[in-house]
Amino acid sequence: MFEKLKKDPKMKDLAIKIIAVLIILSVALLSFDVFTQSKDGRKQILDEDGGTEEALCAILTDMKGVGEVDVMLQYGEDDQISGVIVTAEGAGDPVVQNNLVNAVRAVFNIPVSSVMVFEKDDNANQENGGKEK
């Protein structure tokens, strides 16, 4: 049966047209997926062991005047971050506090009112023998 299809020019032409249509449909579906995705290049990295918090702490700690940082994230109904609490050694300085709020707001695209920044308590760290919790 395949021998007849290989020798028949009409069947060859039909097979080529079918293959061409399938290729065109594949390209159309892929381009539709690409063009309908969000244009926002930021992506949240969420994992079970707190990777988002660790990454945020590392970034905020690198900022001038911030010092040691701890972060807690609050998730809303659709697993989007709805609130953030930051404790930092340098948060007693209003400029540092403002920089922390703006950094967190920019990363998670949340309103300033959803970000709370507090100065770390030096006594809490000393009570633990200088060790982290």
Side-chain angles (χ1 to χ4, degrees):
M1 181 173 174
F2 288 114
E3 297 300 322
K4 286 183 181 180
L5 294 176
K6 288 182 182 177
K7 293 179 182 177
D8 188 9
K10 289 182 183 179
M11 294 305 278
K12 278 185 179 180
D13 191 40
L14 180 63
I16 290 173
K17 287 180 182 178
I18 289 173
I19 291 171
V21 167
L22 289 175
I23 291 172
I24 291 170
L25 284 174
S26 298
V27 170
L29 287 173
L30 287 173
S31 62
F32 177 75
D33 181 50
V34 169
F35 291 126
T36 57
Q37 288 181 357
S38 172
K39 300 297 181 199
D40 189 0
R42 294 176 288 184
K43 299 211 186 274
Q44 287 187 5
I45 303 169
L46 302 174
D47 56 15
E48 297 299 321
D49 64 351
T52 303
E53 286 96 344
E54 290 176 15
L56 183 60
C57 285
I59 291 169
L60 296 178
T61 300
D62 288 343
M63 294 171 59
K64 183 178 180 178
V66 173
E68 186 180 332
V69 175
D70 287 316
V71 174
M72 184 181 118
L73 303 178
Q74 176 67 41
Y75 294 90
E77 295 174 8
D78 55 350
D79 290 334
Q80 294 293 320
I81 294 176
S82 60
V84 180
I85 295 176
V86 178
T87 59
E89 290 177 344
D93 181 357
V95 173
V96 171
Q97 191 173 30
N98 187 51
N99 289 342
L100 288 168
V101 169
N102 286 330
V104 171
R105 177 189 57 82
V107 168
F108 296 118
N109 195 26
I110 57 177
V112 173
S113 62
S114 296
V115 181
M116 298 300 298
V117 176
F118 301 98
E119 185 175 16
K120 272 188 176 269
D121 184 8
D122 291 334
N123 294 331
N125 196 22
Q126 291 173 354
E127 289 171 4
N128 292 328
K131 296 178 183 174
E132 291 185 28
K133 297 179 185 177

